[in-house]
PDB file of all heavy atoms in Angstrom:
ATOM      1  N   TYR G 122     111.619 102.079  91.570  1.00  0.00           N
ATOM      2  CA  TYR G 122     111.847 102.638  92.896  1.00  0.00           C
ATOM      3  C   TYR G 122     112.564 103.976  92.773  1.00  0.00           C
ATOM      4  O   TYR G 122     113.440 104.139  91.916  1.00  0.00           O
ATOM      5  CB  TYR G 122     112.716 101.730  93.762  1.00  0.00           C
ATOM      6  CG  TYR G 122     112.123 100.388  94.088  1.00  0.00           C
ATOM      7  CD1 TYR G 122     112.537  99.241  93.421  1.00  0.00           C
ATOM      8  CD2 TYR G 122     111.152 100.261  95.075  1.00  0.00           C
ATOM      9  CE1 TYR G 122     112.004  98.006  93.723  1.00  0.00           C
ATOM     10  CE2 TYR G 122     110.613  99.025  95.383  1.00  0.00           C
ATOM     11  CZ  TYR G 122     111.045  97.899  94.706  1.00  0.00           C
ATOM     12  OH  TYR G 122     110.508  96.669  95.017  1.00  0.00           O
ATOM     13  N   ALA G 123     112.216 104.898  93.627  1.00  0.00           N
ATOM     14  CA  ALA G 123     113.023 106.102  93.752  1.00  0.00           C
ATOM     15  C   ALA G 123     114.440 105.719  94.178  1.00  0.00           C
ATOM     16  O   ALA G 123     114.630 104.798  94.978  1.00  0.00           O
ATOM     17  CB  ALA G 123     112.403 107.055  94.771  1.00  0.00           C
ATOM     18  N   ASP G 124     115.428 106.428  93.636  1.00  0.00           N
ATOM     19  CA  ASP G 124     116.821 106.049  93.878  1.00  0.00           C
ATOM     20  C   ASP G 124     117.159 105.961  95.362  1.00  0.00           C
ATOM     21  O   ASP G 124     117.886 105.055  95.793  1.00  0.00           O
ATOM     22  CB  ASP G 124     117.759 107.043  93.198  1.00  0.00           C
ATOM     23  CG  ASP G 124     117.789 106.897  91.694  1.00  0.00           C
ATOM     24  OD1 ASP G 124     117.365 105.843  91.181  1.00  0.00           O
ATOM     25  OD2 ASP G 124     118.246 107.836  91.019  1.00  0.00           O
ATOM     26  N   SER G 125     116.644 106.881  96.147  1.00  0.00           N
ATOM     27  CA  SER G 125     116.981 106.916  97.564  1.00  0.00           C
ATOM     28  C   SER G 125     116.387 105.761  98.355  1.00  0.00           C
ATOM     29  O   SER G 125     116.801 105.522  99.499  1.00  0.00           O
ATOM     30  CB  SER G 125     116.515 108.237  98.176  1.00  0.00           C
ATOM     31  OG  SER G 125     115.108 108.361  98.127  1.00  0.00           O
ATOM     32  N   LEU G 126     115.444 105.043  97.777  1.00  0.00           N
ATOM     33  CA  LEU G 126     114.741 103.981  98.482  1.00  0.00           C
ATOM     34  C   LEU G 126     115.147 102.580  98.047  1.00  0.00           C
ATOM     35  O   LEU G 126     114.721 101.601  98.679  1.00  0.00           O
ATOM     36  CB  LEU G 126     113.231 104.142  98.297  1.00  0.00           C
ATOM     37  CG  LEU G 126     112.666 105.499  98.701  1.00  0.00           C
ATOM     38  CD1 LEU G 126     111.175 105.553  98.434  1.00  0.00           C
ATOM     39  CD2 LEU G 126     112.972 105.793 100.159  1.00  0.00           C
ATOM     40  N   LYS G 127     115.923 102.480  97.008  1.00  0.00           N
ATOM     41  CA  LYS G 127     116.338 101.165  96.526  1.00  0.00           C
ATOM     42  C   LYS G 127     117.114 100.426  97.613  1.00  0.00           C
ATOM     43  O   LYS G 127     117.989 100.976  98.261  1.00  0.00           O
ATOM     44  CB  LYS G 127     117.193 101.303  95.275  1.00  0.00           C
ATOM     45  CG  LYS G 127     116.425 101.772  94.058  1.00  0.00           C
ATOM     46  CD  LYS G 127     117.335 101.905  92.843  1.00  0.00           C
ATOM     47  CE  LYS G 127     116.549 102.371  91.631  1.00  0.00           C
ATOM     48  NZ  LYS G 127     117.422 102.556  90.447  1.00  0.00           N
ATOM     49  N   GLY G 128     116.738  99.171  97.814  1.00  0.00           N
ATOM     50  CA  GLY G 128     117.369  98.358  98.835  1.00  0.00           C
ATOM     51  C   GLY G 128     116.669  98.392 100.169  1.00  0.00           C
ATOM     52  O   GLY G 128     116.969  97.550 101.027  1.00  0.00           O
ATOM     53  N   ARG G 129     115.767  99.345 100.379  1.00  0.00           N
ATOM     54  CA  ARG G 129     115.025  99.448 101.633  1.00  0.00           C
ATOM     55  C   ARG G 129     113.543  99.148 101.468  1.00  0.00           C
ATOM     56  O   ARG G 129     112.932  98.584 102.371  1.00  0.00           O
ATOM     57  CB  ARG G 129     115.184 100.838 102.256  1.00  0.00           C
ATOM     58  CG  ARG G 129     116.605 101.179 102.658  1.00  0.00           C
ATOM     59  CD  ARG G 129     116.644 102.379 103.591  1.00  0.00           C
ATOM     60  NE  ARG G 129     116.124 103.594 102.959  1.00  0.00           N
ATOM     61  CZ  ARG G 129     115.092 104.301 103.407  1.00  0.00           C
ATOM     62  NH1 ARG G 129     114.440 103.902 104.502  1.00  0.00           N
ATOM     63  NH2 ARG G 129     114.705 105.396 102.787  1.00  0.00           N
ATOM     64  N   PHE G 130     112.965  99.550 100.340  1.00  0.00           N
ATOM     65  CA  PHE G 130     111.535  99.364 100.104  1.00  0.00           C
ATOM     66  C   PHE G 130     111.319  98.294  99.037  1.00  0.00           C
ATOM     67  O   PHE G 130     112.102  98.182  98.084  1.00  0.00           O
ATOM     68  CB  PHE G 130     110.884 100.662  99.626  1.00  0.00           C
ATOM     69  CG  PHE G 130     110.712 101.718 100.686  1.00  0.00           C
ATOM     70  CD1 PHE G 130     111.413 101.682 101.883  1.00  0.00           C
ATOM     71  CD2 PHE G 130     109.824 102.764 100.470  1.00  0.00           C
ATOM     72  CE1 PHE G 130     111.250 102.662 102.844  1.00  0.00           C
ATOM     73  CE2 PHE G 130     109.651 103.748 101.426  1.00  0.00           C
ATOM     74  CZ  PHE G 130     110.360 103.707 102.613  1.00  0.00           C
ATOM     75  N   THR G 131     110.244  97.527  99.188  1.00  0.00           N
ATOM     76  CA  THR G 131     109.886  96.500  98.224  1.00  0.00           C
ATOM     77  C   THR G 131     108.398  96.583  97.921  1.00  0.00           C
ATOM     78  O   THR G 131     107.578  96.530  98.835  1.00  0.00           O
ATOM     79  CB  THR G 131     110.223  95.097  98.740  1.00  0.00           C
ATOM     80  OG1 THR G 131     111.614  95.012  99.060  1.00  0.00           O
ATOM     81  CG2 THR G 131     109.898  94.049  97.678  1.00  0.00           C
ATOM     82  N   ILE G 132     108.060  96.708  96.647  1.00  0.00           N
ATOM     83  CA  ILE G 132     106.667  96.724  96.226  1.00  0.00           C
ATOM     84  C   ILE G 132     106.296  95.342  95.697  1.00  0.00           C
ATOM     85  O   ILE G 132     107.115  94.655  95.080  1.00  0.00           O
ATOM     86  CB  ILE G 132     106.423  97.812  95.158  1.00  0.00           C
ATOM     87  CG1 ILE G 132     104.931  98.030  94.923  1.00  0.00           C
ATOM     88  CG2 ILE G 132     107.140  97.483  93.856  1.00  0.00           C
ATOM     89  CD1 ILE G 132     104.630  99.247  94.051  1.00  0.00           C
ATOM     90  N   SER G 133     105.068  94.931  95.943  1.00  0.00           N
ATOM     91  CA  SER G 133     104.576  93.661  95.435  1.00  0.00           C
ATOM     92  C   SER G 133     103.066  93.746  95.283  1.00  0.00           C
ATOM     93  O   SER G 133     102.431  94.673  95.786  1.00  0.00           O
ATOM     94  CB  SER G 133     104.972  92.503  96.358  1.00  0.00           C
ATOM     95  OG  SER G 133     104.385  92.654  97.639  1.00  0.00           O
ATOM     96  N   ARG G 134     102.509  92.774  94.590  1.00  0.00           N
ATOM     97  CA  ARG G 134     101.059  92.748  94.442  1.00  0.00           C
ATOM     98  C   ARG G 134     100.557  91.324  94.452  1.00  0.00           C
ATOM     99  O   ARG G 134     101.238  90.396  93.999  1.00  0.00           O
ATOM    100  CB  ARG G 134     100.619  93.478  93.166  1.00  0.00           C
ATOM    101  CG  ARG G 134     101.070  92.853  91.860  1.00  0.00           C
ATOM    102  CD  ARG G 134     100.804  93.798  90.687  1.00  0.00           C
ATOM    103  NE  ARG G 134      99.389  94.129  90.571  1.00  0.00           N
ATOM    104  CZ  ARG G 134      98.909  95.207  89.942  1.00  0.00           C
ATOM    105  NH1 ARG G 134      99.753  96.072  89.377  1.00  0.00           N
ATOM    106  NH2 ARG G 134      97.600  95.428  89.887  1.00  0.00           N
ATOM    107  N   ASP G 135      99.353  91.160  94.972  1.00  0.00           N
ATOM    108  CA  ASP G 135      98.660  89.883  94.980  1.00  0.00           C
ATOM    109  C   ASP G 135      97.317  90.136  94.311  1.00  0.00           C
ATOM    110  O   ASP G 135      96.356  90.557  94.955  1.00  0.00           O
ATOM    111  CB  ASP G 135      98.491  89.358  96.396  1.00  0.00           C
ATOM    112  CG  ASP G 135      97.918  87.953  96.432  1.00  0.00           C
ATOM    113  OD1 ASP G 135      97.310  87.521  95.433  1.00  0.00           O
ATOM    114  OD2 ASP G 135      98.075  87.282  97.466  1.00  0.00           O
ATOM    115  N   ASN G 136      97.271  89.911  93.016  1.00  0.00           N
ATOM    116  CA  ASN G 136      96.056  90.235  92.273  1.00  0.00           C
ATOM    117  C   ASN G 136      94.867  89.379  92.707  1.00  0.00           C
ATOM    118  O   ASN G 136      93.722  89.820  92.617  1.00  0.00           O
ATOM    119  CB  ASN G 136      96.302  90.087  90.776  1.00  0.00           C
ATOM    120  CG  ASN G 136      97.153  91.208  90.217  1.00  0.00           C
ATOM    121  OD1 ASN G 136      97.219  92.296  90.790  1.00  0.00           O
ATOM    122  ND2 ASN G 136      97.809  90.956  89.090  1.00  0.00           N
ATOM    123  N   ALA G 137      95.126  88.171  93.181  1.00  0.00           N
ATOM    124  CA  ALA G 137      94.042  87.327  93.670  1.00  0.00           C
ATOM    125  C   ALA G 137      93.367  87.934  94.891  1.00  0.00           C
ATOM    126  O   ALA G 137      92.183  87.693  95.131  1.00  0.00           O
ATOM    127  CB  ALA G 137      94.562  85.932  93.988  1.00  0.00           C
ATOM    128  N   LYS G 138      94.121  88.705  95.681  1.00  0.00           N
ATOM    129  CA  LYS G 138      93.576  89.381  96.847  1.00  0.00           C
ATOM    130  C   LYS G 138      93.222  90.831  96.571  1.00  0.00           C
ATOM    131  O   LYS G 138      92.797  91.546  97.478  1.00  0.00           O
ATOM    132  CB  LYS G 138      94.560  89.314  98.010  1.00  0.00           C
ATOM    133  CG  LYS G 138      94.818  87.908  98.519  1.00  0.00           C
ATOM    134  CD  LYS G 138      95.761  87.914  99.710  1.00  0.00           C
ATOM    135  CE  LYS G 138      95.969  86.513 100.253  1.00  0.00           C
ATOM    136  NZ  LYS G 138      96.892  86.502 101.411  1.00  0.00           N
ATOM    137  N   ASN G 139      93.418  91.282  95.334  1.00  0.00           N
ATOM    138  CA  ASN G 139      93.106  92.658  94.952  1.00  0.00           C
ATOM    139  C   ASN G 139      93.854  93.666  95.825  1.00  0.00           C
ATOM    140  O   ASN G 139      93.312  94.709  96.205  1.00  0.00           O
ATOM    141  CB  ASN G 139      91.597  92.915  95.031  1.00  0.00           C
ATOM    142  CG  ASN G 139      91.010  93.410  93.719  1.00  0.00           C
ATOM    143  OD1 ASN G 139      91.529  93.119  92.636  1.00  0.00           O
ATOM    144  ND2 ASN G 139      89.925  94.162  93.810  1.00  0.00           N
ATOM    145  N   THR G 140      95.128  93.372  96.106  1.00  0.00           N
ATOM    146  CA  THR G 140      95.899  94.166  97.052  1.00  0.00           C
ATOM    147  C   THR G 140      97.326  94.357  96.561  1.00  0.00           C
ATOM    148  O   THR G 140      97.924  93.440  95.997  1.00  0.00           O
ATOM    149  CB  THR G 140      95.916  93.499  98.435  1.00  0.00           C
ATOM    150  OG1 THR G 140      94.567  93.330  98.896  1.00  0.00           O
ATOM    151  CG2 THR G 140      96.662  94.351  99.444  1.00  0.00           C
ATOM    152  N   VAL G 141      97.862  95.550  96.796  1.00  0.00           N
ATOM    153  CA  VAL G 141      99.262  95.884  96.548  1.00  0.00           C
ATOM    154  C   VAL G 141      99.910  96.223  97.882  1.00  0.00           C
ATOM    155  O   VAL G 141      99.275  96.822  98.756  1.00  0.00           O
ATOM    156  CB  VAL G 141      99.384  97.050  95.556  1.00  0.00           C
ATOM    157  CG1 VAL G 141     100.835  97.505  95.431  1.00  0.00           C
ATOM    158  CG2 VAL G 141      98.851  96.643  94.191  1.00  0.00           C
ATOM    159  N   TYR G 142     101.181  95.863  98.026  1.00  0.00           N
ATOM    160  CA  TYR G 142     101.892  96.061  99.283  1.00  0.00           C
ATOM    161  C   TYR G 142     103.136  96.910  99.073  1.00  0.00           C
ATOM    162  O   TYR G 142     103.714  96.938  97.982  1.00  0.00           O
ATOM    163  CB  TYR G 142     102.322  94.716  99.876  1.00  0.00           C
ATOM    164  CG  TYR G 142     101.189  93.756 100.084  1.00  0.00           C
ATOM    165  CD1 TYR G 142     100.912  92.774  99.147  1.00  0.00           C
ATOM    166  CD2 TYR G 142     100.387  93.833 101.217  1.00  0.00           C
ATOM    167  CE1 TYR G 142      99.867  91.881  99.330  1.00  0.00           C
ATOM    168  CE2 TYR G 142      99.341  92.955 101.408  1.00  0.00           C
ATOM    169  CZ  TYR G 142      99.087  91.980 100.465  1.00  0.00           C
ATOM    170  OH  TYR G 142      98.044  91.105 100.663  1.00  0.00           O
ATOM    171  N   LEU G 143     103.544  97.574 100.132  1.00  0.00           N
ATOM    172  CA  LEU G 143     104.824  98.268 100.171  1.00  0.00           C
ATOM    173  C   LEU G 143     105.514  97.896 101.474  1.00  0.00           C
ATOM    174  O   LEU G 143     105.102  98.345 102.547  1.00  0.00           O
ATOM    175  CB  LEU G 143     104.653  99.784 100.068  1.00  0.00           C
ATOM    176  CG  LEU G 143     105.952 100.590 100.009  1.00  0.00           C
ATOM    177  CD1 LEU G 143     106.681 100.336  98.693  1.00  0.00           C
ATOM    178  CD2 LEU G 143     105.684 102.081 100.195  1.00  0.00           C
ATOM    179  N   GLN G 144     106.533  97.060 101.387  1.00  0.00           N
ATOM    180  CA  GLN G 144     107.327  96.682 102.542  1.00  0.00           C
ATOM    181  C   GLN G 144     108.426  97.717 102.732  1.00  0.00           C
ATOM    182  O   GLN G 144     109.217  97.955 101.816  1.00  0.00           O
ATOM    183  CB  GLN G 144     107.940  95.299 102.358  1.00  0.00           C
ATOM    184  CG  GLN G 144     108.823  94.841 103.511  1.00  0.00           C
ATOM    185  CD  GLN G 144     108.043  94.577 104.773  1.00  0.00           C
ATOM    186  OE1 GLN G 144     106.989  93.959 104.736  1.00  0.00           O
ATOM    187  NE2 GLN G 144     108.554  95.060 105.892  1.00  0.00           N
ATOM    188  N   MET G 145     108.480  98.329 103.898  1.00  0.00           N
ATOM    189  CA  MET G 145     109.426  99.393 104.188  1.00  0.00           C
ATOM    190  C   MET G 145     110.333  98.942 105.324  1.00  0.00           C
ATOM    191  O   MET G 145     109.869  98.693 106.441  1.00  0.00           O
ATOM    192  CB  MET G 145     108.700 100.684 104.559  1.00  0.00           C
ATOM    193  CG  MET G 145     107.666 101.116 103.525  1.00  0.00           C
ATOM    194  SD  MET G 145     106.968 102.754 103.872  1.00  0.00           S
ATOM    195  CE  MET G 145     106.165 102.429 105.435  1.00  0.00           C
TER     196      MET G 145
END
């Protein structure tokens, strides 16, 4: 994570769904 975004943004992936997410 970029330093300024730590604690606010969360990245995850679901390879079974062929999708990556960014929770902001």
Side-chain angles (χ1 to χ4, degrees):
Y122 296 102
D124 287 342
S125 64
L126 305 178
K127 290 179 180 178
R129 297 195 298 121
F130 287 17
T131 303
I132 192 170
S133 63
R134 65 191 301 158
D135 187 340
N136 286 337
K138 295 182 178 180
N139 236 27
T140 302
V141 173
Y142 304 97
L143 184 68
Q144 178 68 44
M145 307 187 297

